[in-house]
Amino acid sequence: DPLPEATLLEVAGRGGVIVRDSNVVAVDTRQMLASPSSVEPARRAVAKQGGDTESDEWLGGLGLEVDRLDDSAPDTGVRSPHLFVADHPALHRSRLARARYLAETAALGLPIVAERPDALEGFLDRVFIEAMENVAPERLIDQNYREMVAVNLRRAALGKHGSQAVVRRLLGQNRHRNLSPSVSVVLVTNRGDYLAHALQAAMSQDYEDFEVIVALHGDLGEAAEQVAASDRLTVLQFAAETPFGEVLNRACAAAGGDLVAKIDDDDWYGPHHISDLVLAHTHSRAQLVGKGAEFVYLASSNKTIRRFVGGAESHSRTLAGGCLLISRADLRDVGGWRSVERSVDKALIEDVARAGGTVYRTHGFEYVLNRHGQGHTWDTADRYFADQAEFTWEGLQLEVAGIYSSG
C-alpha cells in the first residue's frame, strides 16, 4: 500500500523515495545518450533485466532495440547511443523499489519512458508522475526534445523527492522556512517598453520564497507609473547617469533574500527558471551559477537558434548575464558588482574565480536571449550567434526552450 506521508523520512533512511541533493551530479545527456559521431543517436533504449511476458511485450512495442541492464544504477550501464531508459512495473520487486529507481534515474538527468507511472500515486509526487506521463516516446529521437524531457524529469524528481524537499514537506514549510533559501530577483531596466514584459516573467516564477527588486534606471515615463510596489515587489529609482554596476549594487543592498538572481528586461524566462538556478546552486555547491545563452532569438533574420549544445551541468564560465545567481554573502565577499557601465556580468564571473570560488553552468532551457538590436549592453553582431548555431528554427520559437508563453 502507499506509504503514509509521515513515515516517508523513516523509509527513506532504509533506501526509500528520497534523492540526496548534494550527492547528485547531472549527466550531460548528449554525452550520455547520443551517438559520439552524430547528433542523431541510434534507435536503442535501455531497461532493467527481468520482468514478465507483459513487460517483454511492452518493451517490444517501443519499436526499438532494448539493451538490458543488471541492478546497477542506470548511469553505470547506459552508454551511447541509447535514447532513453524504458521502465515497466514488472521490472521491479515492489512499487516502492520502482519509485526509488525512477526518482534516482530522473535525478541523474536521464530521459524516461515509463509504463503506467500513475500506479505510483502515494509513492511519487503528482508533479513527477505528470512529467513522466507527458513524455512523447516517438519524439525522443529529436535531441533537443530529449534533453528538454531529461531536464523536466530531473527538475520534478529533485524538486519533489530531493532530501530538502522531503524534509520541508514532513516538517512543515511554515515552521521551517529556513530549509529553503529565499531569493531576490533583481531587474535593472532603462526601457519602459520592456518593463511589463520583464515584470511578468519575474512575478510568474514558481519558486515559493522569492521577491522582486526592480531598479528603474532613468526616466521610464508612463511605464514607471504602472509599477506598484507590493509585499513581493520593491521599486527603486536611479538617475540615468548612475553607472549600471552601481545600480545593481544598490538594488542588491535592498534585497532581503539569501540568494540574488539577476535577470534582464528583454529576454524570455520560463516559470521554473529561478527554481532551476536554486537547484543548481544546491547540488553544485558553486558560489556562482547560471545558464548559458544556448537559445537565442535573432530578430534581424527572425530565427531562433541553439548553440553550445553539450556544455551544460559543468564548471564553466560561459554564462549568460541575464541568468546569474549568487548568495548575498558571496557577492559581498567579492566586492559586489563592479561600478562600470558594461560587462558587469563578465566582471562578476572573473571576480568570483579570482577569489577562488567556483562557477557552474546548468542547463539552458527556460531562457531565450533576445537579440533585437536595440540598446544591448552586450554589443555583438548577430552573425556571431548565427555562425555558432547547431539548431535553427524559423521565427520566434520559445517552445523549443521549454517556454510555452511569451507573457
Side-chain angles (χ1 to χ4, degrees), residues 109-155:
L110 298 174
I112 299 170
V113 173
E115 171 71 348
R116 300 196 301 274
D118 58 330
L120 296 174
E121 292 273 9
F123 292 92
L124 294 177
D125 188 271
R126 186 62 204 170
V127 170
F128 183 31
I129 291 173
E130 289 180 354
M132 289 187 284
E133 290 176 332
N134 290 335
V135 176
E138 69 278 4
R139 294 184 59 193
L140 289 170
I141 191 66
D142 177 81
Q143 179 184 342
N144 193 77
Y145 177 76
R146 186 170 66 255
E147 291 187 39
M148 183 163 57
V149 165
V151 166
N152 291 341
L153 292 177
R154 184 169 190 266
R155 180 192 296 125

Side-chain angles (χ1 to χ4, degrees), residues 178-221:
N178 61 334
L179 291 175
S180 179
S182 57
V183 179
S184 294
V185 181
V186 175
L187 165 68
V188 177
T189 180
N190 61 0
R191 296 177 287 201
D193 51 344
Y194 283 104
L195 183 55
H197 164 86
L199 276 176
Q200 192 277 335
M203 299 300 291
S204 298
Q205 295 300 304
D206 77 331
Y207 192 73
E208 185 170 356
D209 192 0
F210 78 96
E211 64 172 354
V212 178
I213 309 294
V214 176
L216 306 178
H217 194 190
D219 183 6
L220 275 66

Side-chain angles (χ1 to χ4, degrees), residues 356-400:
T358 52
V359 181
Y360 187 84
R361 174 184 161 193
T362 188
H363 66 82
F365 287 91
E366 297 213 13
Y367 172 67
V368 176
L369 177 69
N370 184 8
R371 296 296 304 181
H372 48 70
Q374 302 174 5
H376 295 295
T377 57
W378 183 11
D379 187 14
T380 301
D382 282 358
R383 174 54 56 187
Y384 168 81
F385 297 96
D387 288 346
Q388 296 174 332
E390 297 183 52
F391 295 90
T392 302
W393 298 270
E394 293 294 330
L396 174 61
Q397 302 291 339
L398 299 179
E399 293 83 1
V400 300

Side-chain angles (χ1 to χ4, degrees), residues 150-169:
V151 166
N152 291 341
L153 292 177
R154 184 169 190 266
R155 180 192 296 125
L158 286 179
K160 297 302 181 179
H161 295 283
S163 58
Q164 291 190 24
V166 173
V167 171
R168 284 197 304 272
R169 190 161 62 247

